[in-house]
Amino acid sequence: CLWTLAAILKETLKDAPVPRAGFVKKLLAPLDAVLEGFYNAILLHHFDSRHYTSPYSEATNNLISFIDLLEALLASRIELELPLRCQRILFLKVSYILNIISSSVPYVIKKKFILLLKKCVLYKSREDARSGSLFLQTPSLCEDMLALSNAVLQVVNLTWLNQLTLSGKSSYFGSSEAAPGHDSQGGSDQTVLRALSLVVLKALEFKIHNSAKEAEIK
């Protein structure tokens, strides 16, 4: 079901310019509360890292399908002037994801969540994309980005970064090993390291430009 819903959303967004907003709203509005409930249940209330001991388990595959759906919901947000709650939940309750990233789940899950966060911090509304605006003008997106930035900076200010492992081997064509003569940087995943750095920097940038008090900026 998760895979099907994500696939429908992705295919809709690929279509030629048509009144897609109506279709997206018609599809998601009845599921709005359900999807938020899924988010809370899967990522918080019923989350147990012991279920995700293997990257090949059914539980891991289900969680990956849910991440794919969250990515599709983020992409579909641009179609609606007033986004639905299920399209905003990723920003408003990002702390659930931050907790999972620092847990003992398989590396593939951590990587997908970090790359999803990268897409969040780079997201722009249609108006901002057209105007080339560096900072967000849409009130709901500004509110959501501020919530995400606050959550990220709060955990970074503690020991969150120290709990993360980037030991998953980077993928290369035909192999998981670096080519001879290339420094593998101790086996750390440079793609994830760059994405994680960007998330922190963008959160800091947005917080600074939306802080009224000098003490907050410092």
Side-chain angles (χ1 to χ4, degrees):
C1 290
L2 293 172
W3 183 91
T4 302
L5 184 56
I8 291 172
L9 272 174
K10 289 175 182 177
E11 286 303 314
T12 301
L13 298 176
K14 284 181 185 176
D15 289 340
V18 291
R20 294 181 294 199
F23 179 82
V24 170
K25 192 167 186 177
K26 187 176 180 180
L27 176 68
L28 295 179
L31 298 172
D32 201 21
V34 175
L35 290 173
E36 182 175 1
F38 258 46
Y39 187 93
N40 294 336
I42 293 174
L43 303 185
L44 179 67
H45 300 312
H46 301 297
F47 180 80
D48 186 344
S49 60
R50 290 174 296 180
H51 295 158
Y52 305 96
T53 52
S54 167
Y56 308 106
S57 68
E58 184 180 359
T60 298
N61 285 332
N62 289 339
L63 186 53
I64 287 173
S65 292
F66 190 57
I67 297 171
D68 290 339
L69 176 58
L70 291 175
E71 189 176 333
L73 288 170
L74 176 66
S76 71
R77 176 177 177 147
I78 201 169
E79 297 299 327
L80 301 182
E81 188 175 342
L82 294 173
L84 297 168
R85 178 81 178 178
C86 65
Q87 294 171 307
R88 302 181 63 194
I89 197 74
L90 187 56
F91 294 84
L92 300 178
K93 296 186 178 180
V94 72
S95 59
Y96 301 175
I97 290 175
L98 297 174
N99 288 337
I100 291 176
I101 290 173
S102 61
S103 73
S104 59
V105 296
Y107 186 73
V108 63
I109 293 176
K110 297 184 181 190
K111 182 169 185 173
K112 283 187 74 72
F113 268 133
I114 290 171
L115 294 179
L116 180 59
L117 290 181
K118 175 186 170 184
K119 290 185 177 183
C120 286
V121 298
L122 294 177
Y123 178 83
K124 286 190 175 184
S125 69
R126 182 170 288 166
E127 292 74 16
D128 293 323
R130 283 174 180 167
S131 66
S133 171
L134 180 62
F135 298 106
L136 312 160
Q137 304 298 327
T138 312
S140 62
L141 186 53
C142 188
E143 180 186 335
D144 292 355
M145 276 299 301
L146 194 56
L148 184 145
S149 299
N150 284 334
V152 169
L153 294 176
Q154 187 175 2
V155 295
V156 167
N157 203 34
L158 300 172
T159 58
W160 185 74
L161 285 175
N162 295 335
Q163 298 170 29
L164 303 186
T165 54
L166 299 177
S167 58
K169 291 183 178 178
S170 302
S171 297
Y172 299 86
F173 287 106
S175 169
S176 61
E177 302 292 342
H182 287 249
D183 183 10
S184 64
Q185 299 291 329
S188 63
D189 190 331
Q190 299 301 295
T191 300
V192 171
L193 184 59
R194 286 192 295 269
L196 196 56
S197 300
L198 184 64
V199 169
V200 175
L201 288 172
K202 281 290 184 182
L204 190 60
E205 178 187 37
F206 189 79
K207 179 67 175 174
I208 287 173
H209 284 272
N210 287 274
S211 296
K213 298 177 182 177
E214 188 177 347
E216 262 192 325
I217 294 174
K218 288 183 179 179

